[in-house]
Amino acid sequence: METTLYIPPLGLAGQFGAPAGFAAVGIFAHGTSSGRTSPRNVRVAARLREAGFATLLMDLLTEGEKADPANQFDVHRQSERLLLAVRHLRAATAVERKPIGFFGAGSGAASALIAAGRAAEHDGIGAVVCRGGRPDLAEEWLNAVAAPTLLVVGGKDAPALDLNNDAFARLHCTKALEVVPGAGRLFEETGKLDQVADSARSWFTTHLLKAANG
């Protein structure tokens, strides 16, 4: 079942999908010029719901903010919005105390990592997955990330591979770097995005469901 949520205090819209009996949640952070309707994130979210995870795809900027291109790369502001969503889900939905993970794509990878680094203990951020991301934009917050983190990069995306290798070296949490052979920046090649979805499902299953089961 999917419902539309409006995250206070700004009323940011989000699509919340919650399969019966879900034990953990994945919140999506999109990249620049995208939003909750990102077709790639929608596809990955659907695969996670099939595996029993709830998902939230949300807008990270208001309509007025989207008009200024500079806001698209304001990953610190967007990380704040992710934490607002976490706290709203815990306070106003059936998520309550269930584990939550972040899935960040493009510049949304930095937003997800910053939010994970800033999260308080009660926020319960249990894992992070980044697809074709810009973790370098998280800067000093990489040192603060405690949640197990998976970086997924396309084998044909040399610039992102360099950035992710550098970020990987700076992470001090449980971590993995996966290179998808033959995939470009957007994982548009046949079957490549499905590989990302399978990797995200496996990572969240290992680190979020393990936490949910105590």
Side-chain angles (χ1 to χ4, degrees):
M1 181 180 69
E2 287 194 56
T3 56
T4 301
L5 302 179
Y6 295 94
I7 312 300
L10 298 172
L12 295 167
Q15 293 301 121
F16 181 60
F22 74 93
V25 185
I27 298 179
F28 285 70
H30 56 79
T32 56
S33 304
S34 188
R36 70 184 188 278
T37 60
S38 162
R40 286 173 288 276
N41 283 350
V42 166
R43 185 169 170 182
V44 174
R47 293 288 291 271
L48 288 179
R49 289 194 299 275
E50 290 171 2
F53 294 92
T55 61
L56 175 67
L57 295 105
M58 62 178 292
D59 291 333
L60 297 176
L61 298 173
T62 66
E63 289 303 316
E65 289 168 342
K66 290 176 185 177
D68 183 351
N71 290 329
Q72 299 290 344
F73 280 98
D74 191 346
V75 293
H76 291 84
R77 176 186 299 184
Q78 293 176 41
S79 74
E80 294 172 1
R81 309 289 168 78
L82 290 173
L83 292 175
L84 287 173
V86 168
R87 291 158 192 171
H88 179 68
L89 288 180
R90 295 212 180 283
T93 74
V95 171
E96 298 176 335
R97 297 178 62 83
K98 294 179 174 66
I100 291 176
F102 291 135
F103 182 97
S107 61
S111 301
L113 288 164
I114 294 169
R118 294 177 52 186
E121 184 175 347
H122 65 265
D123 291 320
I125 305 305
V128 180
V129 176
C130 298
R131 168 182 65 80
R134 292 288 311 274
D136 56 300
L137 296 176
E139 299 173 335
E140 70 275 7
W141 284 101
L142 289 170
N143 295 324
V145 177
T149 298
L150 171 65
L151 306 179
V152 186
V153 190
K156 296 195 301 183
D157 189 2
L161 187 55
D162 288 343
L163 293 173
N164 278 262
N165 273 318
D166 289 344
F168 184 78
R170 295 170 58 191
L171 288 166
H172 301 296
C173 54
T174 299
K175 59 185 180 179
L177 174 64
E178 178 180 341
V179 180
V180 179
R185 183 175 67 88
L186 297 178
F187 296 85
E188 294 178 307
E189 299 82 2
T190 301
K192 300 307 181 184
L193 189 61
D194 290 335
Q195 288 184 240
V196 175
D198 289 343
S199 296
R201 180 184 62 194
S202 177
W203 194 259
F204 283 163
T205 296
T206 298
H207 298 287
L208 295 184
L209 296 188
K210 179 180 178 181
N213 294 329

